[in-house]
Amino acid sequence: MDVPSISVTMIGAAGSGKTAYLHGMYNRLSSGLKGYYLYTTDPDRDLDLAEHWARLRRTGEMPKPTPDDVPVTYEFVFRRGMRDLMQVDFVDFRGDSLAAPRGSAPDVSRLAERLEATDTIILALASEHVAEWVRAGAPGSLERAGDLMEIPRCSIAISRVFSNRFRARQPPPGVVVLLTKVDLLAARTGMSAAEALQVVARNLGNLVPALAGEEAEGVTVALCPIQLGAFGEGDRTIVDATRISPKNLHLPIVFSLRHYLSEGIARNEHEMARLSAGLDSSRGELAALSQGLFGGIFRGDRKSSARQQIERLVADSRATSADLQRAQDRCAELDQELRGIAIYRDGRLLTD
């Protein structure tokens, strides 16, 4: 099986923690975690990411947000042990890209085009705002005006992508709802973090209707709570470096690969059905040509052609079956890694 190339696009309101997540994710995985590794193909990018992380470790200075109008692109390779699993084209857009009119800045139009072709969309939501929604009873009627998470705007952009993909009969992207700064859920709700996360998981259709509930047919979503550390309330531009405690930073990339493989499994199963039908037809043709007293004398060329077609179809079936089995085995392995986070398919919560 070839190493796939996957595009990942991260969106979310300003201050949602996208850039901090990206730095934390890279530096956690570049050192290895449970046998998984991530590295960038650009040595200068690697140095830049390493320097930002070293500064955080030394002084507590958090990575600065993505610069205005300049989305940052990273070319990563994700691997397990010594084996490359996928290449990742990852782009981090500034928080206001979806809020600006098209044509007002280069990154605004680029984001719209990028979303149309992406394999995984990461929607970052800051847990301090999610916590306020939980405290309010997890309602399903968020006011668009004043929504600091920009959920309606992000939902419209994501829904447009799905609508266009379905219309073109193309595989839809996977979606990760990334709950950043998850240590604040407990601090702001008065619940334990686990209890607050259960409220979010069971009511995600109220928080982001486009991704869960009756409206989400054809959508696969992972709800992934992450944190860089238990920094508590207050200013997060400078944090207590001794409280760095990364959690779940690798799971969005794991989910991206899992979703890509699951779409490939569906394609391979469809191809297996097509090849099987082709084999049945070719074998039937060969049997018909072989019938009768003179079948083997006057139909030699047609019979030879039918046999060659059968041989090609058998070879293609074996190759497709091998790809299918490898993808299924890899998915089973990745599913073990994703245990414990909420996964939704067609709007239904599969795991809790």
Side-chain angles (χ1 to χ4, degrees):
M1 183 185 296
D2 294 335
V3 176
S5 180
I6 297 176
S7 58
V8 178
T9 304
M10 187 160 53
I11 61 175
S16 58
K18 300 187 305 300
T19 303
Y21 159 70
L22 174 63
H23 282 74
M25 178 269 294
Y26 180 74
N27 284 280
R28 189 78 173 103
L29 279 171
S30 62
S31 300
L33 178 64
K34 298 182 180 180
Y36 291 100
Y37 297 86
L38 189 79
Y39 64 90
T40 176
T41 57
D42 184 344
D44 291 336
R45 285 281 190 220
D46 178 75
L47 284 173
D48 179 63
L49 289 164
E51 287 173 2
H52 279 87
W53 189 255
R55 191 179 304 127
L56 172 61
R57 282 290 190 183
R58 288 195 310 269
T59 68
E61 181 182 346
M62 293 287 282
K64 291 182 171 53
T66 302
D68 288 349
D69 303 353
V70 186
V72 183
T73 301
Y74 300 86
E75 297 293 337
F76 295 129
V77 175
F78 184 53
R79 63 171 31 176
R80 178 72 186 273
M82 301 299 292
R83 179 178 297 177
D84 291 349
L85 300 181
M86 67 176 176
Q87 297 175 337
V88 185
D89 177 57
F90 196 113
V91 180
D92 177 20
F93 286 84
R94 65 184 170 112
D96 295 331
S97 294
L98 283 174
R102 288 198 181 189
S104 62
D107 63 327
V108 177
S109 296
R110 184 181 170 190
L111 175 56
E113 294 169 0
R114 169 81 185 187
L115 287 174
E116 289 295 336
T118 202
D119 294 298
T120 297
I121 300 171
I122 298 179
L123 171 60
L125 303 179
S127 286
E128 62 262 37
H129 305 314
V130 175
E132 296 305 316
W133 169 76
V134 170
R135 288 182 60 187
S141 55
L142 290 176
E143 289 286 343
R144 181 165 182 171
D147 173 25
L148 297 177
M149 293 181 282
E150 293 284 358
I151 286 176
R153 200 180 303 274
C154 292
S155 295
I156 290 170
I158 293 172
S159 296
R160 185 180 298 120
V161 172
F162 274 88
S163 177
N164 291 340
R165 296 279 183 92
F166 291 148
R167 189 180 303 116
R169 296 185 178 180
Q170 296 175 344
V175 182
V176 176
V177 176
L178 191 74
L179 295 186
T180 64
K181 310 177 238 182
V182 76
D183 58 302
L184 291 181
L185 275 182
R188 295 208 174 187
T189 61
M191 305 176 181
S192 70
E195 290 171 335
L197 283 171
Q198 285 184 351
V199 173
V200 178
R202 291 169 182 164
N203 296 278
L204 189 66
N206 288 345
L207 183 64
V208 194
L211 301 181
E214 294 180 358
E215 301 175 29
E217 183 179 354
V219 183
T220 302
V221 178
L223 176 64
C224 189
I226 62 103
Q227 69 175 46
L228 290 186
F231 302 132
E233 300 280 3
D235 180 23
R236 289 214 175 199
T237 56
I238 301 294
V239 298
D240 183 352
T242 66
R243 304 197 68 183
I244 293 174
S245 176
K247 291 183 180 178
N248 293 345
L249 300 183
H250 66 304
L251 294 184
I253 296 298
V254 171
F255 171 79
S256 298
L257 178 57
R258 174 63 174 86
H259 181 264
Y260 179 88
L261 290 174
S262 67
E263 291 296 322
I265 286 171
R267 290 191 296 271
N268 279 338
E269 288 176 339
H270 178 76
E271 178 66 5
M272 286 293 294
R274 186 189 71 80
L275 291 170
S276 179
L279 270 171
D280 289 344
S281 175
S282 295
R283 285 168 175 158
E285 180 184 357
L286 181 60
L289 290 170
S290 300
Q291 289 177 354
L293 179 61
F294 301 105
I297 300 175
F298 299 109
R299 300 170 183 168
D301 289 345
R302 292 174 63 189
K303 288 169 67 177
S304 177
S305 176
R307 288 193 185 97
Q308 290 174 3
Q309 175 70 2
I310 289 171
E311 289 173 359
R312 285 194 297 269
L313 288 170
V314 168
D316 288 347
S317 294
R318 286 173 178 166
T320 301
S321 178
D323 283 345
L324 180 60
Q325 187 60 56
R326 283 192 290 268
Q328 289 171 334
D329 292 344
R330 179 65 68 189
C331 282
E333 177 185 299
L334 296 173
D335 285 341
Q336 291 300 310
E337 197 63 32
L338 292 169
R339 289 180 63 186
I341 68 169
I343 304 290
Y344 305 77
R345 188 168 296 121
D346 295 327
R348 284 192 310 113
L349 176 61
L350 303 182
T351 59
D352 195 353

